């Protein structure tokens, strides 16, 4: 070890002296020395010949900057500054490019020279094998009679799954581009395509102008078509992707534009279409997203959605939306202050809904501030809430427009007394001012005032078992009161009510303030949870609401109609084996369910399964004349290291038929990914027809294509 260390020191000194003498006969340039650092040589044996050649033998390693070279023997000629290197040779540069060769003749900076029997490997994935390789100017690498592939090449001579053969390949290290001349694309060594010239990004370049992965899509409505995306790099912070989609029945140009700014970013995507489904008409869609920080904790966001017709999204396999919401909003949230303002526009894609009689234009303003008065203790919240929605129809009742402003003040205080009983007290007052237009059933102005108060008592208890599991049990009871004064107003904002553990203790369970619960209420509940250090954990909630008089505004399946509510049951179970179950149900007085929602997830190293079940009882007030029962299922199974199968299903149990179904199959190895999918939509309407969609994509790994974290290696044994 000491002998090798002495040789390392002597060799390093000799190379530094030799290289320094060869660089210039004038005084050294500090800037040049920083840009071109000195070389360092490590070897088992180093000696200098009579003609002043430095020779290093045995486990030779040379370094300069981010370049590392290993070889069997290196000869350094001081007179011409050349390095003659005998292999096997390995040159690593920056941790991303590796060059392997049998022999080489390089300059002293390892930046220029000639290599024979060479291979260049990018990110240990894409490899270029050539008879001869030339390094020019420390920037360009020229390879002659080259084979390019990211597949594992077997030593028995069997061809890789795919490869590109070219007469010449030039790698521009600065631009990180590969230029091919007289190239052939081969599958199992069979020529498939010929390209006189071709340019591809090397794997180290994340964003480069050029073609992206093409895909083939076949549908029962649009026939077989091909989509060929082309990516334009418009700078470091913006780009554009154009994707022509052509079949015998459609001519579509899809587009996506992205730009990042110092304080935010925007993204727009859409398509322009002329097809045979609606002949002679322009079709398309436009979606846009953006977010900007405006300073002083303000954030501006927008979300734009527009479509030419109700069926376009379904026809072209885009997100299955039944209503489009476009919104621009301004928010500011700090510890004691919250502000939000938004303008929203809705467009319905549902059959039977008329946009003219729907509140398509909506404006909202929300402000709340917290105070902590020392005199009375507790917390005071002051809020302002303004809302307005407009229908384009001018008909009486059907074209009703409403404006509302709400002032709210609330005082909250909590404390613990006795053996650990927690008391939460709240008092508040709300004043709602309504302006009603185009509805003769209501006066043009209505004022509603609602004082309220509530006292909640809870007794949280914990217990830790000998195995370290912690159980938490909390019984809760709340006595509440509210008194609504003023005229009646239309119910435009609170038509659908959800009763869950989140609003069990609320004094009003309506989703908006255009409706408020009236009268005294009594609530009881019980929360239980279990947390284990490495085992399963569970949560459960049970609760019920009692009131003096029934509120006719609550629908039958809301769980809140009558003087006593349905029994709320909610829970979650998580096991350490990857299984998670979540459920919520409303159990009415005759021991039947009004609503049931369940969700299950299970996953391990090879499989993943997720499913949901929903049951809603008959409720004409919510537009259901028959019970609704549906099942959703998604799953995938990794057959082996290369094959993955998946399936999805949406089944209407009430109608005993599937509404959507699909299967998928993915093959992936170290150099190629093939994705096959088949999806069927069974539902139909006046604007949407049932359709079958077949998708096919193939991606060649190695050209700046993300390949996940899995490692794949071809087997070179006998097949």
């Amino acid at each position: 070890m000491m002998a090798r260390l002495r040789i390392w020191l002597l060799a390093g000194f000799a190379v530094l002296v030799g290289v320094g003498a060869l660089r210039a006969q004038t005084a050294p340039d500090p800037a040049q020395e920083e840009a071109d650092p000195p070389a360092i040589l490590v070897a088992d044996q180093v000696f200098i010949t009579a003609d002043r050649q430095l020779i290093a033998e045995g486990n030779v390693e040379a370094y300069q900057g981010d370049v590392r070279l290993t070889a069997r023997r290196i000869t350094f000629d001081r007179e011409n500054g050349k390095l003659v290197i005998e292999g096997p040779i390995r040159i690593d540069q920056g941790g991303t490019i590796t060059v392997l060769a049998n022999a080489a003749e390089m300059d002293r900076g390892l930046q220029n020279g000639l290599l024979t029997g060479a291979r260049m490997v990018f990110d240990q994935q894409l490899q270029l094998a050539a008879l001869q390789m030339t390094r020019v100017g420390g920037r360009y690498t020229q390879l002659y009679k080259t084979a390019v592939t990211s597949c594992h090449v077997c030593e028995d001579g069997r061809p890789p799954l795919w490869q590109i053969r070219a007469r010449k390949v030039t790698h521009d290290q600065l631009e990180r581009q590969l230029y091919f001349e007289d190239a052939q694309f081969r599958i199992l060594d069979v020529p498939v395509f010929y390209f006189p010239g071709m340019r591809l990004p090397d794997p180290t370049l994340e964003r480069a102008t050029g073609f992206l992965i093409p895909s083939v899509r076949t549908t029962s409505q649009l026939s077989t078509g091909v989509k060929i995306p082309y990516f334009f790099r418009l700078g470091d912070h913006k780009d554009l992707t154009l994707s022509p989609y052509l079949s015998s029945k459609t001519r579509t140009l899809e587009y996506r534009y992205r730009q990042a700014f110092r304080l935010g970013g925007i993204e727009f995507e859409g398509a322009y279409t002329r097809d045979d489904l609606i002949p002679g008409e322009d079709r398309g869609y436009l979606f846009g997203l953006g977010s900007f920080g405006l300073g002083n904790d303000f954030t501006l966001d927008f979300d734009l959605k527009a479509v030419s017709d109700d069926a376009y999204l379904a026809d072209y396999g885009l997100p299955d939306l039944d209503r489009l919401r476009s919104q621009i909003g301004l928010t500011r949230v700090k510890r004691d202050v919250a502000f939000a303002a938004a303008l929203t526009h809705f467009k319905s894609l549902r059959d039977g809904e008329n946009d003219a009689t729907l509140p398509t234009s909506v404006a909202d303003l929300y402000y709340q501030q917290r105070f902590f008065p020392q005199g009375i203790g507790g917390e005071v919240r002051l809020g302002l809430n303004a809302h307005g929605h407009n229908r384009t129809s001018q008909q009486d009742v059907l074209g009703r427009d409403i404006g509302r402003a709400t002032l709210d003040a609330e005082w909250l205080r909590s404390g613990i007394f006795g053996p650990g009983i927690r008391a939460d007290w709240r008092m508040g007052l709300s004043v709602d001012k309504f302006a009603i237009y185009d509805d003769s059933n209501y006066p043009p102005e209505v004022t509603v005032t609602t004082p309220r108060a509530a006292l909640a008592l809870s007794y949280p208890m914990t217990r830790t078992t000998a195995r370290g599991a912690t159980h938490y049990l909390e019984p809760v009871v709340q006595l509440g009161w509210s008194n609504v004064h003023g005229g009646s107003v239309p119910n435009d904002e609170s038509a659908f009510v959800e009763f869950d553990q989140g609003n069990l203790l609320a004094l009003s369970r309506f989703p908006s303030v255009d409706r408020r619960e009236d009268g005294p209420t009594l609530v009881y509940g019980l929360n239980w949870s279990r947390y284990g250090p490495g085992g399963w954990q569970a949560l459960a909630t049970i609760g019920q609401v009692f009131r003096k008089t029934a509120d006719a505004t609550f629908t039958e399946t809301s769980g809140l109609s009558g003087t006593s509510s349905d029994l709320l049951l909610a829970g979650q179970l998580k096991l350490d084996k990857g299984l998670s179950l979540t459920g919520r149900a409303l159990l009415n007085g005759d021991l039947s369910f009004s609503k049931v929602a369940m969700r299950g997830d299970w996953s391990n190293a090879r499989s993943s399964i997720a499913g949901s079940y929903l049951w809603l009882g008959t409720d004409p007030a919510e537009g259901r004349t028959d019970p609704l029962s549906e099942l959703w299922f998604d799953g995938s199974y990794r057959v082996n290291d290369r094959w993955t199968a998946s399936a999805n299903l949406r089944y209407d149990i009430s109608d005993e038929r599937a509404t959507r179904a699909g299967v998928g199959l993915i093959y992936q190895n170290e150099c190629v990914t093939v994705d096959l999918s088949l999806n069927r939509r069974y539902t139909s309407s006046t604007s949407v027809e049932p359709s079958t969609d077949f998708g096919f994509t193939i991606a060649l790994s190695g050209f700046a294509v993300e390949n996940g974290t899995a490692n794949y290696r071809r087997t070179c044994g006998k097949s």
Side-chain angles (χ1 to χ4, degrees):
M1 178 64 68
M2 292 301 297
R4 180 175 174 85
L5 178 61
R6 287 194 297 270
I7 292 173
W8 184 88
L9 293 173
L10 291 173
F13 177 77
V15 172
L16 290 175
V17 173
V19 172
L22 286 168
R23 283 189 178 172
Q25 300 299 324
T26 59
D29 184 354
Q32 176 62 29
E33 288 187 353
E34 182 178 356
D36 192 13
I40 298 176
L41 182 67
V42 182
D44 290 337
Q45 295 183 358
V46 178
F47 57 91
I48 300 175
T49 65
D51 54 356
R52 309 201 61 178
Q53 287 186 339
L54 176 66
I55 299 177
E57 293 181 335
N59 298 317
V60 181
E61 296 183 11
Y63 304 87
Q64 185 176 46
D66 62 350
V67 179
R68 175 178 179 267
L69 180 148
T70 61
R72 183 176 60 85
R73 176 187 172 98
I74 293 180
T75 301
F76 175 66
D77 191 335
R78 178 179 176 180
E79 296 299 328
N80 53 30
K82 295 293 184 181
L83 289 169
V84 177
I85 309 170
E86 300 176 26
I89 302 170
R90 180 186 179 99
I91 303 175
D92 292 295
Q93 184 165 3
T96 58
I97 301 176
T98 301
V99 176
L100 308 174
N102 296 328
E105 185 175 310
M106 308 285 291
D107 65 4
R108 62 176 177 268
L110 304 177
Q111 298 295 309
N112 304 284
L114 176 67
L115 298 91
T116 58
R119 281 194 301 158
M120 177 181 287
V121 183
F122 293 93
D123 283 341
Q124 299 183 2
Q125 184 177 25
L126 183 68
Q127 55 180 308
L128 296 81
L131 294 178
Q132 179 177 300
M133 179 188 300
T134 303
R135 290 278 291 166
V136 180
R139 171 177 174 177
Y140 299 100
T141 301
Q142 298 174 342
L143 301 98
Y144 300 91
K145 294 186 178 181
T146 309
V148 181
T149 185
S150 58
C151 301
H152 181 61
V153 180
C154 298
E155 296 180 357
D156 57 9
R158 281 187 293 163
L161 180 61
W162 68 266
Q163 62 178 311
I164 300 175
R165 291 287 187 91
R167 179 180 58 84
K168 180 181 178 182
V169 177
T170 301
H171 176 237
D172 187 335
Q173 186 172 327
L174 180 62
E175 298 293 335
R176 292 185 287 181
Q177 299 284 338
L178 293 168
Y179 298 90
F180 294 77
E181 298 179 20
D182 294 334
Q184 291 181 355
F185 178 76
R186 298 187 177 192
I187 298 179
L188 294 176
D189 211 26
V190 177
V192 178
F193 298 106
Y194 171 74
F195 304 96
M198 181 172 60
R199 177 184 58 83
L200 294 172
D202 77 30
T204 65
L205 184 60
E206 295 182 357
R207 300 173 66 248
T209 298
F211 287 101
L212 302 179
I213 300 171
S215 61
V216 176
R217 181 172 183 254
T218 299
T219 73
S220 55
Q221 293 179 296
L222 299 174
S223 187
T224 300
V226 60
K227 185 182 299 184
I228 307 175
Y230 193 87
F231 179 84
F232 295 90
R233 182 181 181 274
L234 304 180
D236 292 337
H237 309 293
K238 55 185 175 181
D239 55 59
L240 172 67
T241 303
L242 298 179
S243 304
Y245 172 37
L246 302 175
S247 77
S248 60
K249 295 186 178 181
T250 183
R251 282 75 59 197
T252 296
L253 179 63
E254 299 179 359
Y255 52 87
R256 184 191 68 180
Y257 177 80
R258 302 182 301 179
Q259 184 168 357
F261 301 91
R262 186 172 61 88
L263 298 176
I266 59 174
E267 178 176 344
F268 290 93
E269 67 174 66
Y272 172 76
T273 295
R274 300 280 287 188
D275 58 27
D276 296 346
L277 301 182
I278 306 180
E281 292 191 14
D282 296 332
R283 305 182 70 194
Y285 80 102
L286 175 64
F287 289 174
L289 290 171
S291 180
F292 297 91
L294 303 183
N296 199 23
D297 297 315
F298 281 97
T299 301
L300 177 67
D301 300 280
F302 70 84
D303 184 356
L304 171 66
K305 289 183 175 65
V307 68
S308 61
D309 55 86
D310 295 352
Y312 187 86
L313 297 180
D315 289 343
Y316 285 84
L318 295 167
D320 189 12
L321 304 174
D322 58 356
R323 283 177 178 160
L324 304 181
R325 187 188 74 166
S326 298
Q327 185 178 78
I328 181 170
L330 182 66
T331 59
R332 181 175 185 257
V333 178
K334 302 186 72 174
R335 182 180 183 274
D336 298 322
V337 178
F339 170 84
L343 296 175
T344 308
H345 181 269
F346 292 95
K347 175 179 173 55
S348 176
L349 305 181
R350 298 180 180 181
D351 286 342
E353 287 191 344
N354 183 3
D355 281 336
T357 59
L358 294 176
T360 54
S361 299
V362 180
D364 286 288
L365 175 67
Y366 173 83
Y367 176 81
Q368 187 180 84
Q369 186 164 1
R370 303 192 308 170
F371 302 92
F372 300 90
Q374 298 294 327
I376 60 176
E379 175 185 335
V380 174
R381 297 179 182 178
L382 299 179
L384 169 65
N385 188 343
H387 171 87
H389 58 260
N390 176 72
R391 295 172 170 88
T392 57
S393 173
Q394 302 299 318
Q395 299 181 56
D396 186 36
V397 182
L398 293 178
R400 178 177 59 238
D401 303 324
I402 293 180
R404 170 181 53 80
T406 298
L407 292 175
D408 187 87
E410 187 174 39
W411 173 66
L412 305 93
R413 187 167 183 176
S414 62
I416 298 176
F417 63 93
I421 298 176
R422 177 186 172 94
D424 292 278
W425 173 259
R426 62 170 60 185
M427 297 178 61
L429 174 66
S430 298
V431 179
D432 305 300
K433 181 72 174 181
F434 293 86
I436 305 170
Y437 308 93
D438 297 328
D439 193 335
S440 58
N441 296 322
Y442 298 92
E445 293 186 0
V446 176
T447 301
V448 179
T449 60
T450 308
R452 62 187 186 273
L455 174 64
L457 301 176
S458 60
Y459 187 39
M461 298 172 284
T462 61
R463 183 176 71 90
T464 302
T465 66
R467 295 185 176 182
T470 300
H471 292 262
Y472 174 84
L473 185 66
E474 182 188 31
V476 179
V477 62
Q478 175 180 280
L479 181 62
W481 168 86
S482 61
N483 192 357
V484 179
H485 297 277
S488 61
V489 295
N491 184 12
D492 270 3
E493 303 174 61
S494 300
F496 296 94
V497 179
E498 288 292 334
F499 178 36
D500 55 33
Q501 57 269 46
N503 60 13
L504 177 63
L505 299 179
L507 287 176
S508 181
R509 295 162 188 84
F510 290 103
S512 183
V513 299
D514 64 339
R515 278 288 187 274
R516 296 183 186 273
E517 294 188 45
D518 191 13
T521 59
L522 175 66
V523 180
Y524 77 87
L526 182 67
N527 297 316
W528 170 81
S529 61
R530 188 260 190 198
Y531 300 92
W536 59 275
Q537 66 181 45
L539 308 170
T541 297
I542 183 173
Q544 195 171 18
V545 180
F546 298 93
R547 57 175 51 86
K548 183 177 181 180
T549 58
D551 192 329
T553 308
F554 289 118
T555 62
E556 182 178 351
T557 59
S558 67
L560 295 167
S561 61
T563 56
S564 62
S565 74
D566 292 350
L567 190 64
L568 169 65
L569 304 171
Q572 184 181 65
L573 175 65
K574 291 184 177 181
L575 301 181
D576 58 351
K577 301 298 183 181
L579 176 64
S580 174
L581 298 174
T582 304
R584 178 167 60 90
L586 299 178
L587 184 66
N588 55 34
D590 58 2
L591 299 182
S592 61
F593 290 102
S594 303
K595 291 181 180 180
V596 176
M598 298 186 66
R599 173 75 179 181
D601 298 272
W602 176 77
S603 63
N604 60 16
R606 299 177 67 91
S607 307
S608 65
I609 299 175
S612 298
Y613 172 75
L614 176 66
W615 189 89
L616 301 176
T618 302
D619 195 339
E622 294 186 0
R624 290 191 307 277
T625 57
D626 297 308
L628 174 65
S629 181
E630 286 192 347
L631 176 68
W632 292 269
F633 166 82
D634 289 281
S636 65
Y637 176 70
R638 189 175 180 183
V639 181
N640 53 39
D641 291 342
R642 299 183 180 182
W643 290 95
T644 302
S646 62
N648 65 85
L649 174 68
R650 182 173 180 178
Y651 189 81
D652 190 330
I653 301 175
S654 302
D655 290 344
E656 297 182 347
R657 66 185 182 94
T659 57
R660 289 183 178 272
V663 293
L665 188 64
I666 297 176
Y667 173 82
Q668 186 175 33
N669 63 13
E670 81 280 1
C671 61
V672 67
T673 299
V674 180
D675 190 342
L676 299 172
S677 62
L678 178 64
N679 294 279
R680 172 70 177 172
R681 187 184 69 246
Y682 296 91
T683 56
S684 63
S685 64
T686 57
S687 59
V688 178
E689 295 292 333
S691 65
T692 301
D693 190 333
F694 173 77
F696 171 75
T697 60
I698 181 169
L700 304 180
S701 302
F703 296 103
V705 176
E706 292 295 333
N707 203 28
T709 57
N711 293 320
Y712 303 89
R713 180 60 60 191
R714 184 185 181 194
T715 301
C716 293
K718 295 182 179 180
S719 57

